[in-house]
Amino acid sequence: LVDHGLELLSEEHCLELLQAEQVGRVGVSFGALPAIFPVNYKMHGGDILFRTGEGVKRRAAFEGNVVGFEVDRIDPVNREGWSVMVVGFASLMTAPEIDALGPVDISPWAAGERTNLVRIHPELISGRRITTRM
Amino acid sequence: LVDHGLELLSEEHCLELLQAEQVGRVGVSFGALPAIFPVNYKMHGGDILFRTGEGVKRRAAFEGNVVGFEVDRIDPVNREGWSVMVVGFASLMTAPEIDALGPVDISPWAAGERTNLVRIHPELISGRRITTRM
């Protein structure tokens, strides 16, 4: 089935877009229920890094589970934009891993202690450009 | 565990925000893999409506499955914003259901035939305001 109006992006282009943005959305399952939430992230060595708090559910969700991660830039007025989708394993980074990283400039937005650093290692990367041109 | 910097929003407030926005992200599972993609949506009678194409996986994913839906407005510069999260059953609307709706002004962005109308009936709605104030 041809999907007119959705141009597939190369993996290289997807990685460039991931490098350039700073806000993404993480998709996880809590039991059978899907959840999506925005995060402030940074790419590092091909992985997606973001900080999170001590939320029990959230923490459990990142213990080696497969998660989705999405970044997009959408212009509803001109009906144009793109989205990049990543699927990968998420893990909480250990203290030695964080030390080995060196300084990482990722602040969470929300105030309060968010010292956990989560890493998503991409296994699948796909992207599409949305256009109203046929 | 207290989550400083994340103010919970009332369900009423969440519904107002859902009514006001036009772009959201849908989270589904294809097999065991999570996927997130942006959609142009409209609220109608408390349900979330959006159009989709003939993608087989996507179509299958909306046949009565539980999906996640998220809308946010994030300001990375001032580190402020909010997000609203919905969990609900998704269904492809039948022709009689679409006729009964009357005219619905939801265009997909992408060109091409996107005549399927998907409805998400919210079962859970939650929202939070993100702030850097303590």
Side-chain angles (χ1 to χ4, degrees):
Chain A
L1 294 164
V2 179
D3 208 352
H4 297 293
L6 290 178
E7 174 202 345
L8 293 183
L9 305 178
S10 69
E11 184 169 326
E12 189 183 0
H13 192 174
C14 290
L15 285 168
E16 285 170 8
L17 291 166
L18 286 169
Q19 290 278 0
E21 295 295 319
Q22 48 187 325
V23 178
R25 283 119 198 138
V26 179
V28 295
S29 290
F30 294 152
L33 298 181
I36 305 171
F37 51 90
V39 295
N40 198 13
Y41 76 98
K42 190 146 284 185
M43 296 295 288
H44 190 281
D47 292 342
I48 295 152
L49 304 185
F50 63 92
R51 294 193 190 281
T52 186
E54 290 289 339
V56 175
K57 284 182 184 171
R58 190 168 298 189
R59 189 159 186 165
F62 292 127
E63 298 277 4
N65 285 1
V66 173
V67 302
F69 181 78
E70 190 255 7
V71 175
D72 62 50
R73 196 54 86 91
I74 302 290
D75 176 352
V77 176
N78 294 314
R79 299 183 170 220
E80 287 183 341
W82 54 263
S83 70
V84 170
M85 175 70 207
V86 172
V87 176
F89 290 95
S91 56
L92 277 175
M93 295 185 74
T94 63
E97 286 173 334
I98 293 170
D99 288 346
L101 269 183
V104 183
D105 175 28
I106 327 171
S107 306
W109 288 302
E113 290 290 330
R114 282 184 174 69
T115 50
N116 295 305
L117 201 57
V118 177
R119 173 174 51 199
I120 301 175
H121 183 68
E123 299 289 336
L124 298 170
I125 299 178
S126 62
R128 48 199 62 78
R129 183 170 297 285
I130 303 159
T131 169
T132 50
R133 298 186 301 272
M134 288 296 282
Chain B
L1 294 166
V2 178
D3 207 352
H4 297 292
L6 291 175
E7 174 201 346
L8 293 183
L9 305 178
S10 68
E11 184 168 326
E12 190 182 1
H13 193 176
C14 291
L15 285 168
E16 286 171 8
L17 291 166
L18 285 169
Q19 289 279 0
E21 295 294 320
Q22 48 186 327
V23 178
R25 282 117 198 140
V26 180
V28 295
S29 290
F30 295 151
L33 298 182
I36 305 170
F37 51 89
V39 296
N40 199 14
Y41 76 97
K42 189 147 284 186
M43 295 296 287
H44 190 281
D47 292 341
I48 294 152
L49 305 185
F50 64 92
R51 294 193 191 281
T52 187
E54 290 288 339
V56 175
K57 283 181 184 171
R58 191 169 297 188
R59 190 159 186 166
F62 291 127
E63 299 275 4
N65 285 2
V66 173
V67 302
F69 182 78
E70 189 255 9
V71 175
D72 62 50
R73 198 54 87 91
I74 302 289
D75 176 352
V77 176
N78 293 313
R79 300 184 170 218
E80 287 185 342
W82 54 264
S83 70
V84 171
M85 174 71 206
V86 172
V87 175
F89 289 96
S91 55
L92 276 173
M93 295 185 73
T94 62
E97 286 174 334
I98 292 170
D99 288 345
L101 269 184
V104 183
D105 175 29
I106 327 173
S107 307
W109 289 300
E113 290 290 328
R114 281 185 173 66
T115 51
N116 295 305
L117 202 55
V118 177
R119 173 175 50 200
I120 301 174
H121 182 68
E123 299 289 336
L124 298 171
I125 299 178
S126 61
R128 47 200 64 77
R129 183 170 297 284
I130 303 158
T131 169
T132 50
R133 297 186 302 272
M134 287 297 280

